[in-house]
Amino acid sequence: MKFHSTDKVRLVMPTAALVTVFDECDGFDQDETGGRVIGTYQEHRDKLDIHVTGIIEAGPQASRSAVSFFQDGAYQEQVFRKIEDQHREIEHLGNWHTHHVNGLQHLSGGDIETYYRTVNHRNHNTPFFYALLVTGRQKSADPLRRYTVKHYIFRRGDERIYELHGNQVEIVEKPLVWPASVGSHAVHRERSEPSSSPARPDRAYDNHTIQEFYPGIRPFSSPKLGVYWRGALDLLDGSSVQVVVLEDAAGHVPKYSATLRDAPTTLQDVADELSRVEFSSARAALIATERNCNRALYRRTHEQHHKSST
Ligand SMILES: [Zn+2]
């Protein structure tokens, strides 16, 4: 398969979107994963300007293997509706997924077939389809260089597949509309980072990510507990739950655990499950907590819906 160049397309990509994608990749060593890319676009004659403003996660019913990945469309639609309520201009721009687990350096035949069908489908809103592909993991401490990516554009009624090159992709510092907490409280809070802790780049990155993605949660340190993060985690249904992430620095490599405080009964199973697992970073602990809580809430809504419709 040949990929073509084009000078007709420009893509604007916030760093927060890449961080969201890369954090998700960090959680899947064996399986493909991905999500939906949302944002806005302008078309002038044959020129296309695409602005990414959010990433919707794969969803609780997504299925993954080393060579395939299917998103939970119903869940993503529900999230999209919620975003659309507040941002009428937002559209589905396309998908992202990763091949870093199987080493394939470009879109697969199956990917291409699916995206052709999508972009030419009469229900498809936009005259193009954007595909972000993660192709490999890098040995880099820079959070934005953890993985290599490729950007593809499919255009309606066009046989060619376009690959975007460096200068066509502009990386910007802009807040996202989703995940919900990103940039929604763009106020700089007073710094409360522990000062006595030894310099660890990963902890700085934890703090950076948590501050950006989980504005309700702040770092603390105490002689008794050591380093921890505490605060309110915003959930899919508009509720929030108190969470504490604790660092266990006793071993050679620090470990992290997450605890829900005063969890409602709907989240009791999640709380129990969390009490049994350890994470490699504070952000991983928070991401897993958020995902598991949202999954529990979503399942519950689904079950209620089923009951009321039968
Ligand atoms: Zn693929």
Side-chain angles (χ1 to χ4, degrees), residues 15-240:
T15 54
L18 288 174
V19 168
T20 303
V21 165
F22 295 167
D23 280 350
E24 172 77 10
C25 289
D26 280 348
F28 290 91
D29 281 344
Q30 310 287 317
D31 293 337
E32 284 195 15
T33 186
R36 288 225 195 155
V37 182
I38 57 171
T40 60
Y41 74 98
Q42 283 109 36
E43 208 182 18
H44 309 282
R45 296 205 185 95
D46 57 348
K47 296 228 165 160
L48 186 60
D49 252 27
I50 302 172
H51 292 244
V52 173
T53 61
I55 302 285
I56 301 179
E57 60 273 31
Q61 309 288 336
S63 81
R64 299 174 172 89
S65 80
V67 292
S68 73
F69 166 62
F70 299 97
Q71 320 214 21
D72 181 348
Y75 169 86
Q76 292 176 324
E77 216 34 56
Q78 191 186 34
V79 172
F80 186 74
R81 297 256 163 73
K82 191 180 142 165
I83 298 167
E84 213 184 14
D85 276 349
Q86 287 173 14
H87 307 272
R88 302 301 306 178
E89 73 287 3
I90 299 277
E91 300 269 6
H92 283 302
L93 301 178
N95 282 353
W96 78 268
H97 76 290
T98 178
H99 283 174
H100 82 272
V101 291
N102 58 33
L104 197 56
Q105 289 301 302
H106 46 75
L107 294 176
S108 71
D111 293 333
I112 291 168
E113 207 176 295
T114 307
Y115 300 156
Y116 265 139
R117 218 175 333 145
T118 305
V119 73
N120 291 304
H121 195 280
R122 60 189 145 77
N123 291 344
H124 189 67
N125 262 342
T126 57
F128 65 90
F129 186 90
Y130 165 59
L132 167 64
L133 184 69
V134 177
T135 53
R137 195 196 295 270
Q138 299 296 113
K139 286 200 179 81
S140 172
D142 181 345
L144 286 171
R145 293 181 194 280
R146 278 177 284 167
Y147 293 87
T148 46
V149 297
K150 284 182 176 160
H151 308 270
Y152 299 96
I153 297 288
F154 294 71
R155 301 187 81 165
R156 187 186 290 151
D158 191 337
E159 295 270 286
R160 281 162 295 190
I161 304 164
Y162 300 101
E163 183 179 344
L164 305 186
H165 297 286
N167 56 357
Q168 293 171 278
V169 182
E170 190 188 343
I171 308 290
V172 297
E173 291 292 336
K174 282 219 178 107
L176 298 182
V177 298
W178 192 270
S181 52
V182 180
S184 57
H185 310 258
V187 186
H188 273 134
R189 50 196 68 252
E190 63 188 278
R191 297 172 75 81
S192 54
E193 279 134 67
S195 54
S196 61
S197 48
R200 283 204 305 104
D202 200 52
R203 186 185 291 153
Y205 181 50
D206 262 346
N207 276 332
H208 178 79
T209 308
I210 291 167
Q211 189 182 353
E212 193 166 8
F213 287 75
Y214 301 96
I217 293 169
R218 297 168 60 187
F220 297 89
S221 74
S222 85
K224 203 171 120 223
L225 289 173
V227 175
Y228 64 101
W229 289 259
R230 193 186 70 210
L233 182 65
D234 294 330
L235 300 175
L236 186 65
D237 65 347
S239 68
S240 67

Side-chain angles (χ1 to χ4, degrees), residues 238-299:
S239 68
S240 67
V241 65
Q242 290 292 319
V243 58
V244 180
V245 172
L246 196 60
E247 182 182 86
D248 174 2
H252 179 59
V253 178
K255 292 175 296 199
Y256 299 82
S257 60
T259 314
L260 298 183
R261 282 237 179 120
D262 308 322
T265 48
T266 43
L267 297 178
Q268 204 50 60
D269 286 351
V270 178
D272 293 346
E273 203 180 308
L274 282 172
S275 67
R276 291 192 294 267
V277 279
E278 281 172 342
F279 300 91
S280 58
S281 66
R283 62 188 184 277
L286 272 175
I287 290 166
T289 304
E290 181 185 31
R291 190 175 290 156
N292 290 351
C293 288
N294 280 339
R295 186 179 292 152
L297 292 174
Y298 175 76
R299 284 219 175 108

